[in-house]
Amino acid sequence: WDYATDTYIRTGANGYTAIQSRMKRCVLNVDGSVNYYLHPDSSNFKEDGTLSVLTGADGNVMVEIPKHYIKVETVGNVDSFSISLTQEPGYVLDPSFMKWNGTEMVEVPYRYFRAYEGFVSGGKLLSVSGVTPTRSQTIATFRTQAMANGDGWHLTDWNLLNTVKRLCYIEFCDFIVTKYLGEGNHTGSDFGITTGQSNALGNRSSNSTHNDKYMTYRGIENLYADIFEFVDGININNYQAYVNQKWSTFASDVFTGDYVAKGPLIAAGASNSLIKRCAVSADGGFIPTVVGGSTTTFYGDALWSATGARIAIYGGGADNGASDGLGTLYVTDASSDSHADVGAAVSR
């Protein structure tokens, strides 16, 4: 992507969705093993064609993402992103696939992103179909409920979110992915629409006509619009982002130890300001540093930012209109804040 001209060039092999095409919904056991995969064309069925159970009785409904390697470069005005299933020269392991196992950081073959916005039942944050997503809680409360699923379960982490962003941006060769997936539930105040509306699509993505209703990207329903979602493993202090890979030490308002400063400062004092450029890196993800774009140019998504100790929320709510999107980021809230349009989701 050339920042000066806001133009894109596709590079690399023709099979540029070789990794994305392996993303698939599954029902995950507590220990992280797959109970069963869902049918690629309809999540209402298992892969073998028998009826699935998406209520949580068989486990959380998740989207499996295979381990891969990345190369992120900035040369002058050009930011480039490459992904590979094998470790080619200049590529590093996507940091999402180094996971804390209770003793040390280990390489894992898959990561699991939620299929649905989070719902709390029995003190656990779940990814299940047919429910109204839980909102109006603090990030600390959601964090506890996510970890109540068992070892290795936690809120969506910053590294994993950036993995999904990178895969999506590369697939469409564009930062403004709403042009391809639709705007989603982005108009009104009907926050937290019932989960599972994308079940009939299975692992497939929505299209550009999915406006004022759900959207889905390769099994990840309402990745943006509808409600904002908390992101863990990142804290912000006076516009500096600090990232933590060790889920067991996720905590708010911490800027030392496992929380390591990444990237330059986030653009200061933004208020529904459209992102024009991000600082990009393999280990820091996408850090919005310049605003002044529009909903049809550059990143096309909005940033809110404020000084002091802040937490991160992404995606946009039903009342944010065209500024909702995959890159939308809200870093003005303190850790004690909760809102009717903010939820969270579990990952592993």
Side-chain angles (χ1 to χ4, degrees), residues 109-185:
Y110 301 102
R111 288 296 310 276
Y112 294 92
F113 201 96
R114 57 82 172 169
Y116 310 115
E117 296 156 319
F119 170 72
V120 176
S121 177
K124 297 178 182 179
L125 183 64
L126 307 174
S127 174
V128 295
S129 180
V131 298
T132 301
T134 302
R135 292 106 62 210
S136 300
Q137 296 188 150
T138 66
I139 188 173
T141 299
F142 276 122
R143 182 183 295 128
T144 298
Q145 293 162 340
M147 292 183 173
N149 282 279
D151 286 346
W153 293 89
H154 49 80
L155 294 180
T156 302
D157 58 278
W158 178 252
N159 283 335
L160 185 57
L161 176 62
N162 281 284
T163 295
V164 172
K165 285 184 178 181
R166 197 178 300 113
L167 291 170
C168 192
Y169 292 152
I170 288 174
E171 176 162 355
F172 297 111
C173 197
D174 201 329
F175 293 134
I176 307 177
V177 298
T178 53
K179 292 189 295 187
Y180 312 92
L181 300 172
E183 299 282 357
N185 182 37

Side-chain angles (χ1 to χ4, degrees), residues 26 70 75 86-87 110 131 142 150 195 215 239 257 277 314 332:
C26 61
I70 61 176
V75 179
T86 56
Q87 190 168 14
Y110 301 102
V131 298
F142 276 122
T195 62
M215 59 73 55
Y239 304 111
R277 193 172 193 182
Y314 82 97
T332 64

Side-chain angles (χ1 to χ4, degrees), residues 192-221:
I193 57 176
T194 303
T195 62
Q197 296 191 44
S198 65
N199 287 348
L201 283 179
N203 298 332
R204 295 169 293 171
S205 299
S206 54
N207 58 41
S208 60
T209 66
H210 274 244
N211 301 323
D212 304 324
K213 53 186 176 182
Y214 78 90
M215 59 73 55
T216 185
Y217 173 63
R218 291 194 176 270
I220 304 174
E221 184 179 275

Side-chain angles (χ1 to χ4, degrees), residues 59-80:
N60 279 305
V61 187
M62 308 297 288
V63 175
E64 182 179 87
I65 304 173
K67 180 185 75 174
H68 56 274
Y69 301 86
I70 61 176
K71 182 167 67 172
V72 180
E73 296 180 307
T74 297
V75 179
N77 287 317
V78 177
D79 296 336
S80 62

Side-chain angles (χ1 to χ4, degrees), residues 36-348:
Y36 50 83
Y37 291 100
L38 298 175
H39 195 281
D41 295 326
S42 175
S43 298
N44 295 312
F45 301 93
K46 299 179 183 179
E47 194 173 38
D48 64 7
T50 59
L51 288 174
S52 60
V53 178
L54 309 178
T55 62
D58 284 357
N60 279 305
V61 187
M62 308 297 288
V63 175
E64 182 179 87
I65 304 173
K67 180 185 75 174
H68 56 274
Y69 301 86
I70 61 176
K71 182 167 67 172
V72 180
E73 296 180 307
T74 297
V75 179
N77 287 317
V78 177
D79 296 336
S80 62
F81 312 90
S82 305
I83 52 177
S84 175
L85 285 166
T86 56
Q87 190 168 14
E88 304 301 324
Y91 287 70
V92 298
L93 180 69
D94 182 321
S96 292
F97 297 91
M98 289 299 294
K99 193 95 188 287
W100 178 252
N101 70 357
T103 304
E104 59 183 342
M105 299 295 294
V106 296
E107 192 172 309
V108 294
Y110 301 102
R111 288 296 310 276
Y112 294 92
F113 201 96
R114 57 82 172 169
Y116 310 115
E117 296 156 319
F119 170 72
V120 176
S121 177
K124 297 178 182 179
L125 183 64
L126 307 174
S127 174
V128 295
S129 180
V131 298
T132 301
T134 302
R135 292 106 62 210
S136 300
Q137 296 188 150
T138 66
I139 188 173
T141 299
F142 276 122
R143 182 183 295 128
T144 298
Q145 293 162 340
M147 292 183 173
N149 282 279
D151 286 346
W153 293 89
H154 49 80
L155 294 180
T156 302
D157 58 278
W158 178 252
N159 283 335
L160 185 57
L161 176 62
N162 281 284
T163 295
V164 172
K165 285 184 178 181
R166 197 178 300 113
L167 291 170
C168 192
Y169 292 152
I170 288 174
E171 176 162 355
F172 297 111
C173 197
D174 201 329
F175 293 134
I176 307 177
V177 298
T178 53
K179 292 189 295 187
Y180 312 92
L181 300 172
E183 299 282 357
N185 182 37
H186 75 310
T187 303
S189 57
D190 54 337
F191 307 118
I193 57 176
T194 303
T195 62
Q197 296 191 44
S198 65
N199 287 348
L201 283 179
N203 298 332
R204 295 169 293 171
S205 299
S206 54
N207 58 41
S208 60
T209 66
H210 274 244
N211 301 323
D212 304 324
K213 53 186 176 182
Y214 78 90
M215 59 73 55
T216 185
Y217 173 63
R218 291 194 176 270
I220 304 174
E221 184 179 275
N222 291 333
L223 183 56
Y224 55 79
D226 194 40
I227 59 173
F228 282 95
E229 289 185 34
F230 289 117
V231 190
D232 221 347
I234 181 172
N235 291 326
I236 299 93
N237 192 32
N238 295 326
Y239 304 111
Q240 176 66 62
Y242 296 81
V243 177
N244 181 1
Q245 282 188 263
K246 188 176 176 182
W247 61 267
S248 65
T249 60
F250 284 175
S252 302
D253 305 322
V254 177
F255 310 102
T256 58
D258 292 325
Y259 282 88
V260 179
K262 299 291 183 182
L265 298 184
I266 294 170
S271 179
N272 200 14
S273 306
L274 281 301
I275 299 169
K276 197 169 184 180
R277 193 172 193 182
C278 291
V280 295
S281 64
D283 62 347
F286 295 83
I287 306 290
T289 55
V290 181
V291 294
S294 72
T295 57
T296 58
T297 60
F298 301 96
Y299 277 80
D301 301 324
L303 172 71
W304 291 258
S305 65
T307 190
R310 304 294 167 183
I311 55 175
I313 305 171
Y314 82 97
D319 59 349
N320 287 114
S323 61
D324 284 342
L326 185 54
T328 297
L329 193 63
Y330 196 97
V331 290
T332 64
D333 272 5
S335 60
S336 59
D337 289 343
S338 62
H339 303 282
D341 62 345
V342 179
V346 69
S347 69
R348 201 180 195 286

